DNA sequence: CTGAAAGCGCTTACAG
DNA sequence: CTGAAAGCGCTTACAG
């Protein structure tokens, strides 16, 4: 069978047909190796004839580089993660690296996932919105594989991290809603296991409290989904002191909240209620929504990630890269009624 | 340095510490191998002590299985692909397989991408909405790696394929718009390089023409994006014989079209114009849209894909699995004015 | 159940 | 520039 023969073609077969050593065929397929054009020509011809495909696993065994980077994402229902993945895939592809994707089912098997990444000898590990034990972090460090956390910082871990400035983002959001005349505030929050959510919320609450002396803020859990945001909005808006301004800790929840407010509660946005989100997912720009939001700087995050996983970048000391918040104003918020909010 | 030592721990180190052979350590880490509990215990202890992580690349060299399946997706801006990826990732994870992701930049390097997949010795190749040369298909077949195309069928290729029934979907959509009283029709189409788009469009046109004798259908290219759909809708609606019914070959374009119709043209949906999409992405269910659509059966597609890439499934003969269209009625279409449309 | 040995397909000093 | 040889870290008949 041609099938059997074909599946066994290796560098020796090519070498034999070309009448050269296996070192020669290895060299012609290794950019930068010293082979005469004549030799390379012979080898390539033989390789083509046999449909030879080099085994990168075997070569990785020796070179100790796989050109595979592992990426761990919590899910893809939130478009931010799609965007992160998409951008990472693009940049990696440009650099001839492969992306090995992991989306752990339950939060509990992060460490097992990490273990599998190491078994595959990945060159680097990128983790978004998930945690990792210090034991595993040490293991990665010990094996010289860089780890970068996206959108989360764990000072105790001594791994790289890249994230938006949640503190700054929260303050910017708070300033905007206040400047728009906001008096009563609500927050639709997400799972507290995501530190980013916590940081955003705390920044907002602190600003409201310290600067504006506002203490009673309605908070509801939007569960990081459209439906959750929808329900959370209904909950928040059913209270006696109905908010006129709502912070949604992610855009996807904000979209749900907007739909609930418009179509279930029949209120106007931003006249009756102003909303601001976080992330800037594509849908937020749709004319149906026009959500004002604090953008998650996906491209810049991936740009820094690429630098951090480069072999030239030392693992130690771990770098913490913080990217400034970027406000995207659309139509879900009110214009400043005066300058007091923005200046204070 | 502990770093250096740690990065060199292999089965020999473990064997030495445990006082056994390397075969023994290999066996304790290979489920189903015959090792006495006593031996396994000794080995595990030594392995833990050294933070040993087996090198799956080395073992793949011998077992000829990597447990890696390669997935090629055109992009992630369309949420259908996110859904496909998400579901595939989930199912693969459950089966202890890894997902190696490829998103080729230009259509031209599909073959090069495929080559790289083979270099990594992936167990299977899954391709969505992209083409592959017959040469590469033969190469995969020759190396015994199953290839399954998602949402596209190429009879000439002799690889597996799984897809929704585009013909049936197109007809279902046409029937619905006709039953809703549609008289003048428009189509917002996508890139013709995607056979699925072509099939949907042809099914619609054929049905309109053959069954209803409707020949002049306005067609505009929506470029498979929200913005493209928006522009295409403006274009189609600016013609003299303004359509009262529009087919959008993907939901994402339908969303753009809806926004254009409502907010730019100030027309009502479905009273002035009815729209139907294809895919059923999450946004289509949002209350702001309520898009009636023909669902792409993502879960069932991935389910079949998993079966097709199983080692038990023979590569030959290639299987073509066709999944029936599923109509999801929401509020962007009109109710049947009478039975004539649905019955004919 | 266990170990010694061959070998998976490649790369890389080393010597020429 | 080229080849012979050692070796990357593992698995698997084979013999005991």
């Amino acid at each position: 069978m041609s099938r059997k023969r074909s599946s066994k073609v290796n560098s020796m077969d090519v070498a034999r047909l070309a009448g050269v050593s296996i070192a020669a065929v290895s060299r012609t397929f290794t950019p930068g190796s010293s082979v005469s054009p004549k030799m390379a020509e012979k080898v390539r011809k033989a390789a083509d004839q046999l449909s030879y495909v080099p085994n990168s696993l075997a070569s990785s065994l020796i070179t100790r580089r796989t050109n595979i980077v592992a990426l761990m994402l919590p899910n893809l229902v939130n478009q931010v993660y799609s965007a992160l993945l998409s951008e990472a895939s693009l940049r990696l592809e440009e650099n001839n690296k492969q992306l090995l994707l992991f989306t752990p089912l339950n939060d509990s098997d992060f460490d097992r996932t990490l273990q599998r990444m190491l078994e595959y000898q990945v060159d680097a590990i990128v983790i978004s919105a998930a945690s990792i034990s210090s034991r595993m972090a040490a293991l990665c460090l010990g094996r010289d594989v860089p780890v970068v956390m996206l959108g989360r910082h764990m000072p105790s871990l001594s791994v790289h991290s890249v994230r938006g400035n949640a503190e700054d983002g929260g303050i910017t959001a708070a300033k905007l809603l206040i400047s728009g005349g906001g008096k009563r505030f609500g927050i639709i929050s997400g799972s507290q296991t995501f530190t980013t959510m916590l940081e955003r919320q705390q920044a907002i609450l602190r600003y409201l409290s310290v600067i504006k002396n506002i203490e009673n803020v309605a908070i509801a859990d939007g569960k990081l989904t459209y439906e959750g945001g929808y329900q959370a909005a209904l909950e928040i808006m059913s209270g006696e002191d109905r908010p006129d301004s709502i912070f949604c800790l992610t855009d996807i929840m904000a979209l749900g909240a907007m739909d609930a407010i418009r179509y279930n509660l029949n209120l106007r946005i931003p006249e009756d209620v102003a909303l601001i989100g976080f992330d800037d997912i594509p849908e937020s720009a749709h004319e149906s929504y026009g959500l004002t939001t604090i953008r998650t700087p996906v491209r810049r995050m991936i740009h820094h990630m690429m630098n951090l996983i480069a072999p030239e970048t030392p693992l130690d000391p771990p770098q913490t890269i913080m990217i400034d918040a970027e406000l995207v104003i659309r139509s879900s918020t009110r214009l400043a009624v005066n300058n007091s909010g923005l200046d204070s």
Side-chain angles (χ1 to χ4, degrees), chain A:
Chain A
M1 292 300 302
S2 85
R3 177 184 297 193
K4 267 202 178 164
R5 202 183 327 137
S6 175
S7 75
K8 284 170 144 345
V9 174
N10 59 22
S11 58
M12 246 192 83
D13 298 323
V14 177
R16 201 170 324 161
L17 179 61
V20 301
S21 71
I22 57 166
V25 0
S26 171
R27 288 192 183 104
T28 91
F29 285 102
T30 306
S33 276
S34 58
V35 245
S36 64
K38 210 177 294 179
M39 165 118 299
E41 179 56 28
K42 266 198 296 189
V43 171
R44 271 183 211 293
K45 217 179 108 190
D48 275 356
Q49 216 170 112
L50 297 173
S51 294
Y52 171 65
V53 177
N55 185 329
S56 71
L57 264 35
S59 73
S60 294
L61 214 50
I62 302 188
T63 62
R64 292 170 179 293
R65 310 205 79 250
T66 51
N67 288 317
I68 295 177
V69 357
L71 176 58
M72 180 153 113
L73 288 178
N75 64 63
L76 290 172
V77 305
N78 186 337
Q79 286 257 59
V80 211
Y81 298 125
S82 303
L84 239 19
L85 173 56
S86 187
E87 182 72 13
S89 172
L90 209 71
R91 294 282 95 78
L92 254 16
E93 194 102 18
E94 284 176 358
N95 288 272
N96 273 305
K97 303 203 176 309
Q98 322 307 127
L99 181 52
L100 200 58
L101 182 69
F102 296 81
T103 53
L105 310 171
N106 21 39
D107 296 12
S108 60
D109 53 26
F110 286 158
D111 275 8
R112 248 187 329 145
T113 301
L114 229 21
Q115 161 100 13
R116 273 156 66 203
M117 292 176 174
L118 292 179
E119 289 176 6
Y120 280 95
Q121 317 297 119
V122 299
D123 290 345
I125 293 175
V126 180
I127 299 175
S128 178
S131 60
I132 144 182
S133 72
S134 57
R135 203 188 114 258
M136 286 313 274
L139 195 52
C140 295
L141 201 78
R143 312 182 107 233
D144 265 326
V145 2
V147 175
V148 6
M149 316 262 300
L150 248 36
R152 169 182 276 222
H153 178 50
M154 306 202 73
S156 60
L157 279 191
S158 81
V159 299
H160 300 309
S161 75
V162 180
R163 57 188 179 129
N165 190 334
E167 167 89 17
D168 185 35
I171 293 174
T172 304
K175 279 186 184 170
L176 187 78
L177 290 191
I178 288 171
S179 80
K183 300 285 182 234
R184 300 176 306 284
F185 298 88
I187 296 181
I188 297 182
S189 73
S191 164
Q192 298 294 0
T193 62
F194 291 93
T195 49
T196 319
M197 302 299 143
L198 242 183
E199 287 170 8
R200 288 172 182 169
Q201 180 166 324
Q202 286 173 342
I204 293 167
L205 289 174
R206 200 177 314 122
Y207 187 84
L208 255 29
S209 159
V210 172
I211 309 292
K212 289 289 161 182
N213 234 324
I214 298 169
E215 295 291 357
N216 54 342
V217 176
I219 299 180
D221 182 4
K223 294 173 181 163
L224 302 174
T225 62
Y226 171 87
E227 291 77 14
Y230 195 103
Q231 291 306 326
L234 295 184
E235 186 184 323
I236 281 185
M237 298 296 284
S238 70
E240 40 198 64
D241 232 15
R242 206 181 71 192
D244 57 30
S245 305
I246 299 180
F247 300 91
C248 302
L249 266 28
T250 66
D251 276 10
I252 184 70
M253 296 191 293
L255 302 185
M258 289 179 83
D259 281 352
I261 288 166
R262 281 187 176 139
Y263 304 112
N264 190 302
L265 266 23
N266 289 308
L267 294 172
R268 293 162 308 161
I269 297 171
E271 295 82 353
D272 300 320
V273 197
L275 285 99
I276 188 166
F278 283 83
D279 282 346
D280 195 26
I281 60 178
E283 287 71 30
S284 302
H286 287 191
E287 211 161 324
S288 281
Y289 292 108
L291 177 66
T292 294
T293 190
I294 308 287
R295 175 175 292 162
T296 296
V298 170
R299 301 191 58 160
R300 277 188 289 167
M301 285 172 72
I302 297 301
H303 174 83
H304 283 110
M305 176 276 271
M306 291 298 293
N307 288 339
L308 290 174
I309 65 172
E312 305 85 67
T313 308
L315 273 60
D316 208 38
Q319 296 185 43
T320 301
I321 291 171
M322 179 100 89
I323 303 173
D324 273 349
E326 191 181 331
L327 175 63
V328 182
I329 297 190
R330 287 193 275 250
S331 54
S332 69
T333 44
R334 296 179 289 264
L335 295 178
V337 287
N338 56 42
N339 286 327
S340 66
L342 283 171
D343 289 344
S344 62

